Amino acid sequence: MNDMADTGEQTIKKFLYVNRKAPYGTIYALESLEVVLIGAAFEQDVSLAFLDDGVFQLMKGQDTADIGVKNFSPTYRALGDFEVTKLFVEKESLEERGLSEDDLMEITYEDEDDDWEEKPSIHLVNRSELAAVMAEQDVILSF
Amino acid sequence: MSILHTVNKSPFEKQSLSSCVAHASHGDAVLMIEDAVYGAVSGTAAAAQLEENKNISIYALGPDLNARGLGEAKLAEGVNVVDYNGFVELAVEHDKTQSWL
Amino acid sequence: MSYEVNGATVEHDEEGYITDLSAWNKDLAALIAKDENIDMNDEHWEVVNFLRDYYEEYQIAPAVRVLIKAVKKSMGKEKGNNKYLYTLFPYGPAKQACKIAGLPKPTGCV
C-alpha cells in the first residue's frame, strides 16, 4: 500500500466554479475569473459552470471602450493555458435569454495527452446534466 | 407630466424592468442601462413585454450594449439605441426622471 | 512615483509597475530593466515581446508553462525551461519580465 505522503502525491479534488451573474453590472464575474486563475496554480480538477445570467459572460464581441471598464472577456480564451478546460454552459439559460451557442466566444484548449490537438472547452449541457455535474463535485464555489 | 424611467438591473434577475413598464404612462420613456440592456434582446419574455406596450418609447444605452456584445441585430423591434448625449437629451425632454433599481 | 524617459513622465506604483499600460515604449522598458540590474539582450526582448503580445490578446499574463513553451519554440529546446528564464530574469520571469514589459503585476502565482 502506498502512503500518499511518501510518494508526494496530493489528493486531487473536483472544484466547480458556478457563475450566475452578468459581467460589468456587478463585480462577481471578474472576481470569479480571478479566483479561477489564482486557483489554477493548485492543479486541481477544475470545471466552470455558466447558468442564469452567467451565460452573458461568454458573449462574443464585447467592447467596453465606451463604459470605461476593462473588457475581461478575452481572458476566458486563455483559460486553457491554465489547464482550465471544462466550461459547462446551460442550454436553457441561453434560450431564455434569446441566445444560442453561436452568440458565444469560441474557447479552445490544446490537449497535452492528444498531441496538442485543439479542442473546444465549452460544453452545452441541459439543466439536468448540469445538476449531475454539480452532484459529482467535491467543492463548489459560487459567484 | 412625462417621466424618463431608467432601469439598470437584468430582467432575468430582478423584476425592475417589468415593474417599470407596468407603471409607465402614455408619453413616458423607458431607458435601459447597465445590466438592464439584456432586456432589449429579441425573443425573450422581457422584450415581449416591451413590444406589447405601445404607449411608451423604449431606449437602450449603446455603450452598455456594446460592452455586453449586443449588436443591433440582436435587439427587439422598437428599441432605440442612444449614446450618452441621447441620455442627457431624454432627461431634458421629460419632466422628471425615475430610477428603477 | 514615476520614470522619466525621453522627456516624458510615466507613473508607476510602489513596486515599479507602470500604471498606464499604453505609456510603454522600448526606452522605458530599458530604463525599468536597468533599475532591475538587467542589461537587455535579444533574448530578454524576445520574452518581453511575447508577454506583450499575449497580454494584448488575452488581457492577462501567460501561465509560466505557456511562456516556457514559447521560449522553447523561438530559442530552442535547451533554453525552454524555467531555469533558463531565471538566468534571464533572476527575480523571476513573472515579476521582472512583466514589469519591464509594462504589464500589471500578475495576480496569480504565475
Short mmCIF file of all heavy atoms in Angstrom, two decimals, chain A residues 34 37-38 41 70-72 74-75 77-78 80-83 110 112 116, chain C residues 54-63 65-66 69 104 107-110:
data_model
loop_
_atom_site.label_atom_id
_atom_site.label_comp_id
_atom_site.label_asym_id
_atom_site.label_seq_id
_atom_site.Cartn_x
_atom_site.Cartn_y
_atom_site.Cartn_z
N GLU A 34 -10.84 35.79 -11.61
CA GLU A 34 -9.56 35.96 -10.93
C GLU A 34 -9.29 34.82 -9.97
O GLU A 34 -8.17 34.32 -9.87
CB GLU A 34 -9.50 37.32 -10.22
CG GLU A 34 -9.44 38.46 -11.25
CD GLU A 34 -9.03 39.79 -10.65
OE1 GLU A 34 -9.30 40.00 -9.46
OE2 GLU A 34 -8.46 40.61 -11.39
N LEU A 37 -8.20 31.78 -11.92
CA LEU A 37 -6.82 31.87 -12.39
C LEU A 37 -5.82 31.65 -11.26
O LEU A 37 -4.81 30.98 -11.44
CB LEU A 37 -6.58 33.23 -13.05
CG LEU A 37 -7.30 33.42 -14.39
CD1 LEU A 37 -7.30 34.87 -14.81
CD2 LEU A 37 -6.65 32.55 -15.47
N ILE A 38 -6.12 32.21 -10.10
CA ILE A 38 -5.23 32.00 -8.96
C ILE A 38 -5.30 30.54 -8.53
O ILE A 38 -4.28 29.89 -8.27
CB ILE A 38 -5.61 32.95 -7.79
CG1 ILE A 38 -5.31 34.40 -8.19
CG2 ILE A 38 -4.85 32.57 -6.52
CD1 ILE A 38 -5.94 35.44 -7.29
N ALA A 41 -3.20 27.44 -9.99
CA ALA A 41 -1.86 27.08 -9.53
C ALA A 41 -1.89 25.82 -8.65
O ALA A 41 -0.86 25.16 -8.49
CB ALA A 41 -1.24 28.24 -8.76
N LYS A 70 -12.57 47.58 -17.83
CA LYS A 70 -11.73 46.64 -18.57
C LYS A 70 -12.58 45.51 -19.16
O LYS A 70 -13.40 44.92 -18.48
CB LYS A 70 -10.66 46.07 -17.65
CG LYS A 70 -9.81 45.01 -18.34
CD LYS A 70 -8.63 44.59 -17.48
CE LYS A 70 -8.04 43.29 -18.02
NZ LYS A 70 -6.73 42.99 -17.47
N ASN A 71 -12.36 45.24 -20.45
CA ASN A 71 -13.02 44.11 -21.10
C ASN A 71 -12.22 42.85 -20.76
O ASN A 71 -11.16 42.62 -21.31
CB ASN A 71 -13.04 44.34 -22.61
CG ASN A 71 -13.64 43.16 -23.37
OD1 ASN A 71 -14.13 42.20 -22.77
ND2 ASN A 71 -13.59 43.22 -24.68
N PHE A 72 -12.75 42.05 -19.85
CA PHE A 72 -12.01 40.84 -19.46
C PHE A 72 -12.45 39.60 -20.22
O PHE A 72 -11.96 38.50 -19.96
CB PHE A 72 -12.08 40.62 -17.94
CG PHE A 72 -13.47 40.59 -17.37
CD1 PHE A 72 -14.21 39.42 -17.35
CD2 PHE A 72 -14.04 41.74 -16.83
CE1 PHE A 72 -15.49 39.38 -16.82
CE2 PHE A 72 -15.32 41.72 -16.30
CZ PHE A 72 -16.05 40.55 -16.29
N PRO A 74 -11.65 38.53 -23.22
CA PRO A 74 -10.60 37.75 -23.90
C PRO A 74 -9.90 36.76 -22.98
O PRO A 74 -9.33 35.76 -23.43
CB PRO A 74 -9.62 38.82 -24.39
CG PRO A 74 -10.43 40.07 -24.49
CD PRO A 74 -11.42 39.99 -23.36
N THR A 75 -9.92 37.03 -21.68
CA THR A 75 -9.20 36.18 -20.74
C THR A 75 -9.81 34.77 -20.65
O THR A 75 -9.10 33.80 -20.36
CB THR A 75 -9.14 36.84 -19.35
OG1 THR A 75 -8.57 38.15 -19.51
CG2 THR A 75 -8.29 36.05 -18.38
N ARG A 77 -10.56 33.03 -23.05
CA ARG A 77 -9.91 32.24 -24.09
C ARG A 77 -8.52 31.78 -23.68
O ARG A 77 -7.93 30.92 -24.34
CB ARG A 77 -9.86 33.03 -25.40
CG ARG A 77 -11.27 33.26 -26.00
CD ARG A 77 -11.23 33.81 -27.40
NE ARG A 77 -10.69 35.16 -27.44
CZ ARG A 77 -9.49 35.49 -27.89
NH1 ARG A 77 -8.69 34.57 -28.37
NH2 ARG A 77 -9.09 36.73 -27.85
N ALA A 78 -7.98 32.35 -22.59
CA ALA A 78 -6.66 31.94 -22.11
C ALA A 78 -6.77 30.84 -21.05
O ALA A 78 -5.76 30.29 -20.62
CB ALA A 78 -5.91 33.14 -21.53
N GLY A 80 -7.50 27.80 -21.11
CA GLY A 80 -6.88 26.53 -21.49
C GLY A 80 -5.40 26.50 -21.15
O GLY A 80 -4.87 25.46 -20.76
N ASP A 81 -4.73 27.64 -21.28
CA ASP A 81 -3.31 27.74 -20.95
C ASP A 81 -3.07 27.51 -19.45
O ASP A 81 -1.96 27.22 -19.03
CB ASP A 81 -2.76 29.13 -21.32
CG ASP A 81 -2.69 29.31 -22.84
OD1 ASP A 81 -2.72 28.30 -23.55
OD2 ASP A 81 -2.61 30.47 -23.28
N PHE A 82 -4.12 27.70 -18.66
CA PHE A 82 -4.02 27.48 -17.22
C PHE A 82 -4.63 26.14 -16.83
O PHE A 82 -4.94 25.89 -15.67
CB PHE A 82 -4.72 28.64 -16.47
CG PHE A 82 -4.01 29.96 -16.63
CD1 PHE A 82 -4.18 30.72 -17.77
CD2 PHE A 82 -3.14 30.41 -15.65
CE1 PHE A 82 -3.52 31.93 -17.92
CE2 PHE A 82 -2.48 31.62 -15.79
CZ PHE A 82 -2.66 32.39 -16.94
N GLU A 83 -4.81 25.30 -17.83
CA GLU A 83 -5.37 23.96 -17.66
C GLU A 83 -6.78 23.95 -17.09
O GLU A 83 -7.18 23.04 -16.38
CB GLU A 83 -4.41 23.08 -16.85
CG GLU A 83 -3.24 22.64 -17.76
CD GLU A 83 -2.09 22.03 -17.00
OE1 GLU A 83 -2.35 21.10 -16.24
OE2 GLU A 83 -0.95 22.50 -17.18
N GLU A 110 -5.47 23.21 -25.88
CA GLU A 110 -4.64 22.23 -26.57
C GLU A 110 -4.49 21.02 -25.66
O GLU A 110 -4.01 21.14 -24.53
CB GLU A 110 -3.27 22.83 -26.89
CG GLU A 110 -3.35 23.96 -27.90
CD GLU A 110 -2.00 24.63 -28.15
OE1 GLU A 110 -1.12 24.56 -27.25
OE2 GLU A 110 -1.82 25.21 -29.22
N GLU A 112 -2.85 18.16 -24.15
CA GLU A 112 -1.50 17.65 -23.96
C GLU A 112 -1.42 16.15 -24.23
O GLU A 112 -0.41 15.64 -24.72
CB GLU A 112 -1.10 17.96 -22.51
CG GLU A 112 0.37 18.17 -22.30
CD GLU A 112 0.67 18.60 -20.87
OE1 GLU A 112 -0.17 19.27 -20.24
OE2 GLU A 112 1.75 18.23 -20.39
N TRP A 116 -1.40 17.68 -28.51
CA TRP A 116 -1.72 19.11 -28.50
C TRP A 116 -2.83 19.48 -29.47
O TRP A 116 -2.85 20.57 -30.04
CB TRP A 116 -0.47 19.95 -28.79
CG TRP A 116 0.63 19.68 -27.84
CD1 TRP A 116 1.74 18.92 -28.06
CD2 TRP A 116 0.74 20.14 -26.48
NE1 TRP A 116 2.52 18.87 -26.93
CE2 TRP A 116 1.94 19.61 -25.96
CE3 TRP A 116 -0.07 20.95 -25.66
CZ2 TRP A 116 2.36 19.85 -24.64
CZ3 TRP A 116 0.35 21.19 -24.37
CH2 TRP A 116 1.54 20.66 -23.86
N TYR C 54 0.95 38.45 -25.82
CA TYR C 54 -0.01 37.59 -25.13
C TYR C 54 -1.01 38.43 -24.35
O TYR C 54 -2.21 38.19 -24.39
CB TYR C 54 0.73 36.63 -24.18
CG TYR C 54 -0.13 35.50 -23.66
CD1 TYR C 54 -0.15 34.26 -24.29
CD2 TYR C 54 -0.92 35.66 -22.51
CE1 TYR C 54 -0.92 33.22 -23.81
CE2 TYR C 54 -1.71 34.62 -22.02
CZ TYR C 54 -1.70 33.40 -22.68
OH TYR C 54 -2.48 32.37 -22.20
N TYR C 55 -0.49 39.45 -23.68
CA TYR C 55 -1.39 40.32 -22.89
C TYR C 55 -2.37 41.05 -23.80
O TYR C 55 -3.55 41.18 -23.48
CB TYR C 55 -0.57 41.33 -22.06
CG TYR C 55 -1.44 42.05 -21.06
CD1 TYR C 55 -1.62 41.54 -19.78
CD2 TYR C 55 -2.12 43.23 -21.39
CE1 TYR C 55 -2.45 42.17 -18.86
CE2 TYR C 55 -2.95 43.86 -20.48
CZ TYR C 55 -3.10 43.33 -19.22
OH TYR C 55 -3.93 43.95 -18.32
N GLU C 56 -1.86 41.51 -24.92
CA GLU C 56 -2.70 42.21 -25.89
C GLU C 56 -3.88 41.33 -26.31
O GLU C 56 -5.02 41.79 -26.41
CB GLU C 56 -1.85 42.60 -27.10
CG GLU C 56 -2.61 43.13 -28.30
CD GLU C 56 -3.10 44.56 -28.09
OE1 GLU C 56 -2.50 45.25 -27.25
OE2 GLU C 56 -4.09 44.95 -28.77
N GLU C 57 -3.60 40.04 -26.52
CA GLU C 57 -4.66 39.15 -27.00
C GLU C 57 -5.59 38.69 -25.88
O GLU C 57 -6.80 38.59 -26.08
CB GLU C 57 -4.05 37.93 -27.69
CG GLU C 57 -5.14 36.94 -28.09
CD GLU C 57 -4.80 36.07 -29.28
OE1 GLU C 57 -3.63 36.07 -29.69
OE2 GLU C 57 -5.72 35.39 -29.77
N TYR C 58 -5.04 38.39 -24.70
CA TYR C 58 -5.86 37.77 -23.66
C TYR C 58 -6.10 38.64 -22.42
O TYR C 58 -6.78 38.23 -21.48
CB TYR C 58 -5.23 36.44 -23.22
CG TYR C 58 -5.12 35.43 -24.32
CD1 TYR C 58 -3.87 35.01 -24.80
CD2 TYR C 58 -6.26 34.89 -24.90
CE1 TYR C 58 -3.77 34.07 -25.82
CE2 TYR C 58 -6.17 33.95 -25.92
CZ TYR C 58 -4.92 33.55 -26.37
OH TYR C 58 -4.83 32.62 -27.38
N GLN C 59 -5.50 39.82 -22.37
CA GLN C 59 -5.68 40.73 -21.23
C GLN C 59 -5.19 40.13 -19.92
O GLN C 59 -5.74 40.40 -18.85
CB GLN C 59 -7.15 41.17 -21.11
CG GLN C 59 -7.66 41.90 -22.33
CD GLN C 59 -6.94 43.22 -22.56
OE1 GLN C 59 -6.94 44.08 -21.69
NE2 GLN C 59 -6.30 43.37 -23.69
N ILE C 60 -4.19 39.28 -20.02
CA ILE C 60 -3.63 38.64 -18.84
C ILE C 60 -2.23 38.16 -19.17
O ILE C 60 -1.93 37.90 -20.34
CB ILE C 60 -4.53 37.45 -18.42
CG1 ILE C 60 -4.10 36.89 -17.07
CG2 ILE C 60 -4.54 36.36 -19.48
CD1 ILE C 60 -4.93 35.75 -16.60
N ALA C 61 -1.37 38.05 -18.16
CA ALA C 61 -0.04 37.49 -18.38
C ALA C 61 -0.18 35.98 -18.54
O ALA C 61 -1.07 35.38 -17.95
CB ALA C 61 0.87 37.83 -17.21
N PRO C 62 0.70 35.36 -19.34
CA PRO C 62 0.56 33.92 -19.57
C PRO C 62 0.95 33.09 -18.34
O PRO C 62 1.68 33.58 -17.48
CB PRO C 62 1.53 33.65 -20.72
CG PRO C 62 2.57 34.72 -20.59
CD PRO C 62 1.83 35.93 -20.08
N ALA C 63 0.47 31.86 -18.31
CA ALA C 63 0.95 30.90 -17.32
C ALA C 63 2.42 30.60 -17.64
O ALA C 63 2.82 30.68 -18.80
CB ALA C 63 0.13 29.62 -17.38
N ARG C 65 4.06 27.88 -17.87
CA ARG C 65 4.28 26.81 -18.85
C ARG C 65 4.06 27.29 -20.28
O ARG C 65 4.71 26.82 -21.22
CB ARG C 65 3.41 25.59 -18.55
CG ARG C 65 1.93 25.87 -18.49
CD ARG C 65 1.15 24.61 -18.13
NE ARG C 65 1.04 23.71 -19.27
CZ ARG C 65 0.03 23.71 -20.12
NH1 ARG C 65 -0.95 24.58 -19.99
NH2 ARG C 65 -0.02 22.84 -21.11
N VAL C 66 3.16 28.27 -20.43
CA VAL C 66 2.92 28.83 -21.76
C VAL C 66 4.13 29.65 -22.21
O VAL C 66 4.57 29.57 -23.36
CB VAL C 66 1.65 29.71 -21.75
CG1 VAL C 66 1.48 30.42 -23.08
CG2 VAL C 66 0.43 28.86 -21.43
N LYS C 69 6.91 27.28 -23.15
CA LYS C 69 6.65 26.68 -24.46
C LYS C 69 7.04 27.65 -25.58
O LYS C 69 7.65 27.26 -26.58
CB LYS C 69 5.16 26.33 -24.56
CG LYS C 69 4.88 25.07 -25.36
CD LYS C 69 3.41 24.68 -25.25
CE LYS C 69 2.72 24.75 -26.59
NZ LYS C 69 1.27 24.53 -26.51
N PRO C 104 0.62 44.77 -15.82
CA PRO C 104 0.34 44.86 -14.40
C PRO C 104 0.98 43.69 -13.65
O PRO C 104 1.31 42.67 -14.26
CB PRO C 104 -1.19 44.76 -14.30
CG PRO C 104 -1.71 44.63 -15.67
CD PRO C 104 -0.57 44.47 -16.62
N THR C 107 -1.57 38.59 -10.97
CA THR C 107 -2.37 38.33 -9.77
C THR C 107 -2.11 36.95 -9.22
O THR C 107 -2.04 36.76 -8.02
CB THR C 107 -3.87 38.47 -10.07
OG1 THR C 107 -4.15 37.82 -11.30
CG2 THR C 107 -4.27 39.93 -10.15
N GLY C 108 -1.97 35.97 -10.10
CA GLY C 108 -1.81 34.59 -9.64
C GLY C 108 -0.36 34.29 -9.32
O GLY C 108 0.49 35.18 -9.24
N CYS C 109 -0.07 33.03 -9.11
CA CYS C 109 1.29 32.61 -8.81
C CYS C 109 2.00 32.22 -10.09
O CYS C 109 2.65 31.19 -10.15
CB CYS C 109 1.27 31.45 -7.82
SG CYS C 109 0.20 31.74 -6.42
N VAL C 110 1.83 33.00 -11.14
CA VAL C 110 2.46 32.65 -12.42
C VAL C 110 3.92 33.05 -12.44
O VAL C 110 4.34 33.89 -11.67
CB VAL C 110 1.75 33.32 -13.61
CG1 VAL C 110 0.42 32.66 -13.84
CG2 VAL C 110 1.60 34.80 -13.40
#
